[in-house]
Amino acid sequence: MADTSPLMRDPLQVITDSYMADLRTLCFHRELNQKTRLRFVHTSFHGVGHDFVQTAFNVFGFNPPIPVPEQKDPDPNFTTVRCPNPEEGECVLELSLRLAEKEGARLVLATDPDADRLAVAECRDPGRWRVFSGNELAALLGWWTFFCWDKSGPTSKVQEVHMLGTAVSSSILRAVAAKEGFQYEETLPGFKWIGNRVKTLLEQRKTVLFAFEESIGFMCGTAVLDKDGVSAAAVVAEMATYLDSVSLTLELQLLHIYEMYGYHISKTSYFLCYDPSTIKRIFERLRNYNGPKQYPQACGAYGVLHVRDVTMGYDSSQQNKKCLLPVSKNSQMITFTFQNGCVATMRTSGTEPKIKYYAEMCGLPGQGDRPFLEEELKKVIQALVDEFLEPSKNGLTWRSL
């Protein structure tokens, strides 16, 4: 029997101990953490994250977060949620928010079932919660990791410091990098691309502080070259604790980031489409919009400045018209940069029958009119959906729980 063989070893505890030892390098305010008045609720969404998040909090000097009892233990049937994905927002965080209000906890941390993604909600007032998007959390975590690196007496030059995001994620950290002097890189969607690029940078003796994708996937440090909700949960808790010590919340700090580096207002959603031929027809129409190999010059009232088609390796903004990102013919992905500054990408999911769209409006530091940007973004998205996706004609189903 294999389980009685003297050759068999269970490496879980050794790996866990090694992981937690590495996690200590991400902790910069342990004494502050030990005396914080903040309380945290954590849900593992019927997955594997509970024990690891509890231990990670201990590593950082915190009291353990309050678990959601109904969702603490693994359950393959996900009996308390209609969709076991914390990315879906407040509608799937009901038990967590209710418990947080009962316990007087300001923050809810939600790891998905395999604990590689993290959602965060912050209490504004009793009964009112702010659930942060992946791009908003990336702005906060990117700011925080650079802040901690800068204050820790760094041994490397700022020009050797890197952060990374995917091509469909917010460009907020590109704006931060431009002002602070570190390097920001963009990869194709998916952490396999980020992980491979980070590995190369580390081999070149560069310093990588942070990487992210907009779908609440975060890599804090380089102990794990992948998205990791456990380490991100501990880092967010420490960031919130520090901010609380200077009378700030996560929401207020996000506002400060936007005021300093420019408002970046983004919106992401998707349509369901179960017919591959329909998906192919939608994207081929865009590639031959005004004739063979002619992309759209406008979308409704909004003129198109540049088009990048990763599937075909085309980028009109480059002198040679070749895309700088690797060609990815196994999926559909086209990005439109509009004359009003909006950048919108449509792409297919590699694992689900979805056509996703990602759109962002960016303002200059100190000059952003947030209501205007939000309204302009709303109008561009509506034009994008009506003109390019044509949901009624193509039988697309809007995202719904």
Side-chain angles (χ1 to χ4, degrees), residues 10-69:
D10 183 353
L12 178 59
Q13 192 58 53
V14 173
I15 293 172
T16 301
D17 291 345
S18 177
Y19 171 84
M20 293 300 169
D22 287 335
L23 198 58
R24 288 185 175 87
T25 64
L26 300 177
C27 179
F28 293 89
H29 301 277
R30 183 178 173 83
E31 291 185 5
L32 198 61
N33 300 340
Q34 290 173 326
K35 60 184 181 182
T36 183
R37 64 194 179 104
L38 289 183
R39 305 187 78 197
F40 304 90
V41 161
H42 170 244
T43 175
S44 51
F45 263 76
H46 299 293
V48 300
H50 171 75
D51 290 346
F52 299 104
V53 171
Q54 293 273 315
T55 305
F57 265 58
N58 180 63
V59 168
F60 270 59
F62 288 110
N63 290 322
I66 304 163
V68 177

Side-chain angles (χ1 to χ4, degrees), residues 21 101 149 164 193 199 232 274 276 281 285 312 330 349 357 365:
E101 290 173 0
W149 174 85
L164 297 89
W193 297 100
K199 182 176 183 295
Y274 297 93
R281 185 174 67 249
R285 171 176 171 263
M312 305 304 293
N330 293 328
S349 169
Y357 67 78

Side-chain angles (χ1 to χ4, degrees), residues 38-102:
L38 289 183
R39 305 187 78 197
F40 304 90
V41 161
H42 170 244
T43 175
S44 51
F45 263 76
H46 299 293
V48 300
H50 171 75
D51 290 346
F52 299 104
V53 171
Q54 293 273 315
T55 305
F57 265 58
N58 180 63
V59 168
F60 270 59
F62 288 110
N63 290 322
I66 304 163
V68 177
E70 301 93 330
Q71 299 174 339
K72 179 175 70 69
D73 299 319
D75 175 6
N77 295 315
F78 307 110
T79 50
T80 68
V81 288
R82 294 175 62 186
C83 175
N85 182 0
E87 191 182 357
E88 298 292 350
E90 191 166 343
C91 58
V92 296
L93 295 173
E94 181 180 356
L95 287 176
S96 308
L97 303 182
R98 192 187 307 162
L99 178 62
E101 290 173 0
K102 177 183 175 183

Side-chain angles (χ1 to χ4, degrees), residues 81-154:
V81 288
R82 294 175 62 186
C83 175
N85 182 0
E87 191 182 357
E88 298 292 350
E90 191 166 343
C91 58
V92 296
L93 295 173
E94 181 180 356
L95 287 176
S96 308
L97 303 182
R98 192 187 307 162
L99 178 62
E101 290 173 0
K102 177 183 175 183
E103 297 288 346
R106 183 194 294 176
L107 284 163
V108 167
L109 306 169
T111 48
D112 66 343
D114 60 349
D116 64 350
R117 299 180 190 273
L118 176 74
V120 177
E122 182 178 60
C123 186
R124 287 169 158 170
D125 298 300
R128 294 179 63 244
W129 290 84
R130 166 69 179 272
V131 181
F132 296 93
S133 71
N135 286 329
E136 291 171 336
L137 284 175
L140 285 162
L141 284 166
W143 162 78
W144 175 249
T145 53
F146 183 77
F147 174 82
C148 291
W149 174 85
D150 189 45
K151 299 299 183 183
S152 65

Side-chain angles (χ1 to χ4, degrees), residues 23 38 114 125 156 176 205 209 226 256 259 263 273 298 310 329 345 365 375:
L23 198 58
L38 289 183
D114 60 349
D125 298 300
S156 56
V176 178
R205 299 187 181 279
L209 297 180
D226 201 349
H256 291 336
E259 289 173 346
Y263 280 98
C273 182
V310 172
K329 290 189 175 295
T345 297
E375 185 62 26

Side-chain angles (χ1 to χ4, degrees), residues 172-190:
I172 178 61
L173 295 186
R174 185 184 300 280
V176 178
K179 188 165 185 176
E180 302 298 343
F182 63 85
Q183 308 298 316
Y184 178 79
E185 292 192 30
E186 189 176 84
T187 73
L188 286 176

Side-chain angles (χ1 to χ4, degrees), residues 197-267:
R197 180 55 183 157
V198 171
K199 182 176 183 295
T200 298
L201 289 170
L202 294 177
E203 290 170 350
Q204 296 171 354
R205 299 187 181 279
K206 307 296 185 183
T207 299
V208 179
L209 297 180
F210 178 69
F212 80 104
E213 60 184 5
E214 54 76 34
S215 52
I216 58 172
F218 312 106
M219 187 191 83
C220 301
T222 56
V224 177
L225 300 188
D226 201 349
K227 56 185 178 290
D228 177 14
V230 175
S231 59
V235 172
V236 166
E238 180 170 81
M239 172 172 57
T241 295
Y242 172 83
L243 290 172
D244 182 66
S245 74
V246 293
S247 302
L248 287 172
T249 62
L250 294 179
E251 187 171 29
L252 285 173
Q253 180 57 31
L254 182 63
L255 180 62
H256 291 336
I257 292 169
Y258 285 151
E259 289 173 346
M260 181 173 294
Y261 303 106
Y263 280 98
H264 287 61
I265 311 299
S266 58
K267 173 69 175 178

Side-chain angles (χ1 to χ4, degrees), residues 269-346:
S269 192
Y270 60 81
F271 288 88
L272 294 169
C273 182
Y274 297 93
D275 182 14
S277 64
T278 297
I279 293 176
K280 183 176 180 180
R281 185 174 67 249
I282 290 171
F283 282 89
E284 285 303 311
R285 171 176 171 263
L286 295 175
R287 296 185 178 106
N288 302 278
Y289 202 78
N290 297 310
K293 298 183 179 181
Q294 293 186 32
Y295 293 87
Q297 296 179 342
C299 180
Y302 300 96
V304 173
L305 185 63
H306 298 301
V307 178
R308 181 180 65 190
D309 187 346
V310 172
T311 307
M312 305 304 293
Y314 172 80
D315 188 342
S316 67
S317 71
Q318 300 300 312
Q319 189 171 5
N320 61 3
K321 307 302 180 186
K322 292 185 177 181
C323 185
L324 297 178
L325 292 172
V327 175
S328 181
K329 290 189 175 295
N330 293 328
S331 61
Q332 303 282 355
M333 178 172 163
I334 302 178
T335 299
F336 297 93
T337 300
F338 294 96
Q339 291 176 353
N340 68 349
C342 180
V343 178
T345 297
M346 297 188 304

